[in-house]
């Protein structure tokens, strides 16, 4: 039982030019009715909504056992808000994640177990959907998050399974607290800025023998640092992202594979950092990974991880992160206000 909990813990935590790129469904399938006007992001979010188990959640299978995947479910909540569609799905998904048993399995009980990344991500999602993160089923996620900040400014997990905090958890904590009345603790932003590598990028894990910049970590750190008012530190990260953008507009992960997840995150940072041409190139790469009318009807609208054979095992997370890249709406300014209900589909002849 202890081993299973530990594994689940790991799974829970691990986890001109612009005008031409307005990209509606006719770009996915020609001819298509011009009146539909469904954008690529809307089509992707629509596909994502249809993948929710029981219309409310995502799951991950490990050792033949299906576990709830709260983190991916929240990624979908962000995607629905960014695309401005599937608001009914976003409502059900957040209601599921905030259910006491599901919530506590994800963020911890707040006493013996309290996880920075999960707490921050859930607090941000609640705020994005217009809720109050200080009262999530009687739990004050903001107060709990602030209690996990150390004197150095770093947010760390409180857990019998160890501390898995990293650049993602620090960045999400900053982004969540930026939406509160008290704002971001200066020490938290300073600590994140202090992890920057000599080349300007940010590492996933701090205090390593060799500081190695990571695309995903840098993309999220750039957004968090801009939100905290650390523009110079964010700009250094942006310059590094520009230096590693591929000729095809994509961004690669640590394994060197250009993919939708890394590109989706980087595209958000580029748009937030006022790099429109680089963002446009990233969008073109993401558009090239989207399944259109040539694909199976059940897959249309999805964004594949790397453009190889379509893999449903990676497509949900790839699609969720690609949606924010396609819209260019980063976490700092994301809102579900005005989103419509329903899951758009790709129109094919």
């Amino acid at each position: 039982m202890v081993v299973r909990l530990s594994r689940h813990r790991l799974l829970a935590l691990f986890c001109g030019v612009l005008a031409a790129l307005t990209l509606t469904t006719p770009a996915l399938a020609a001819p298509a009715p011009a009146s539909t006007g469904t954008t690529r992001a809307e089509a992707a979010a629509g596909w994502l909504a249809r993948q929710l188990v029981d219309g409310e959640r995502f799951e991950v299978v490990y050792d033949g056992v299906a576990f709830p995947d709260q983190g991916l479910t929240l990624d979908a909540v962000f995607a629905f808000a960014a695309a401005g569609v599937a608001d009914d799905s976003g409502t059900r998904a957040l209601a599921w994640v905030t259910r006491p048993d599901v919530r506590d399995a994800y963020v911890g009980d707040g006493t013996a177990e309290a996880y920075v990344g999960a707490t921050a991500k859930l607090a941000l999602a609640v705020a994005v959907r217009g809720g109050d993160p200080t009262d999530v089923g009687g739990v004050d996620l903001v107060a709990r998050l602030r209690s996990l900040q150390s004197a150095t400014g770093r947010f760390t997990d409180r857990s019998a399974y160890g501390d898995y905090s990293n650049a993602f958890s620090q960045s999400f904590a900053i982004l969540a607290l930026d939406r509160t009345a008290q704002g971001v603790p200066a020490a938290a932003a300073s600590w994140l800025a202090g992890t920057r590598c000599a080349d300007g990028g940010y590492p996933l894990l701090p205090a390593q023998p060799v500081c190695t910049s990571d695309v995903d970590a840098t993309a999220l750190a750039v957004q968090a640092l801009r939100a905290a008012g650390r523009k110079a530190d964010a700009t250094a990260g942006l310059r590094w992202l520009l230096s590693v953008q591929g000729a095809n507009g994509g961004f690669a992960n640590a394994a060197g594979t250009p993919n939708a997840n890394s590109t989706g995150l980087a595209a958000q940072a580029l748009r937030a950092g006022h790099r429109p041409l680089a963002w446009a190139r990233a969008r073109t790469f993401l558009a090239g990974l989207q399944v259109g009318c040539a694909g199976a009807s059940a897959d249309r609208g999805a964004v594949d991880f790397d453009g190889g054979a379509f893999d449903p095992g990676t497509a949900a997370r790839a699609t969720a992160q690609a949606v924010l890249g396609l819209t260019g709406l980063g976490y700092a300014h994301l809102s579900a206000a005005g989103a419509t209900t329903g899951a758009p589909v790709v129109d094919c002849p």
Side-chain angles (χ1 to χ4, degrees):
M1 184 65 174
V2 172
V3 172
R4 177 167 292 176
L5 284 172
S6 180
R7 286 174 176 172
H8 179 53
R9 166 85 171 102
L10 286 167
L11 286 167
L13 292 174
F14 282 81
C15 320
V17 174
L18 296 179
L21 286 168
T22 304
L23 299 176
T24 59
T25 48
L28 283 174
S35 60
T36 56
T38 303
T39 67
R40 285 186 176 272
E42 291 168 349
W47 177 85
L48 195 64
R50 292 188 289 277
Q51 311 312 305
L52 291 166
V53 177
D54 295 333
E56 66 177 9
R57 68 185 184 275
F58 280 100
E59 296 177 340
V60 59
V61 177
Y62 192 78
D63 282 352
V65 178
F67 293 98
D69 193 333
Q70 294 95 326
L72 178 54
T73 303
L74 291 180
D75 285 335
V77 169
F78 293 137
F80 301 148
V85 298
D87 193 56
D88 47 341
S89 296
T91 298
R92 290 192 297 269
L94 190 62
W96 174 77
V97 178
T98 54
R99 203 175 75 191
D101 58 325
V102 178
R103 176 200 64 206
D104 292 351
Y106 181 53
V107 304
D109 60 14
T111 305
E113 299 288 317
Y115 317 134
V116 174
T119 302
K121 194 171 183 178
L122 180 55
L124 180 61
V126 170
V128 165
R129 288 202 53 80
D132 180 5
T134 68
D135 184 7
V136 180
V139 173
D140 187 340
L141 294 177
V142 174
R144 185 179 295 184
L145 184 58
R146 291 186 184 277
S147 76
L148 297 176
Q149 185 183 348
S150 68
T152 65
R154 180 180 182 178
F155 290 89
T156 57
D157 296 335
R158 183 165 62 243
S159 173
Y161 302 107
D163 176 22
Y164 291 96
S165 62
N166 54 29
F168 264 61
S169 50
Q170 187 79 13
S171 296
F172 270 122
I174 290 172
L175 288 163
L177 293 177
D178 179 57
R179 294 182 182 238
T180 66
Q182 289 179 276
V184 179
S190 294
W191 185 87
L192 180 60
T195 66
R196 191 172 75 235
C197 297
D199 58 13
Y202 288 83
L204 178 62
L205 299 173
Q208 297 299 300
V210 177
C211 189
T212 304
S213 295
D214 177 84
V215 168
D216 298 41
T218 301
L220 200 56
V222 164
Q223 296 182 66
L225 290 167
R226 285 185 60 83
R230 304 282 301 228
K231 300 292 180 64
D233 298 301
T235 298
L238 279 171
R239 291 196 191 101
W240 181 79
L241 285 173
L242 290 170
S243 75
V244 298
Q245 186 173 24
N248 59 3
F251 288 83
N253 56 18
T257 303
N259 66 90
N261 301 61
S262 298
T263 305
L265 288 170
Q268 298 173 50
L270 293 170
R271 174 72 185 279
H274 308 294
R275 302 298 192 275
L277 295 181
W279 171 52
R281 293 175 58 221
R283 289 184 70 199
T284 298
F285 175 82
L286 292 171
L289 299 179
Q290 190 166 27
V291 180
C293 292
S297 59
D299 301 335
R300 292 170 186 166
V303 179
D304 188 56
F305 174 72
D306 61 3
F310 184 76
D311 181 0
T314 60
R317 197 176 306 276
T319 301
Q321 295 186 348
V323 168
L324 274 70
L326 287 167
T327 63
L329 294 175
Y331 296 110
H333 303 291
L334 199 59
S335 172
T340 60
T341 59
V345 298
V346 176
D347 290 298
C348 295

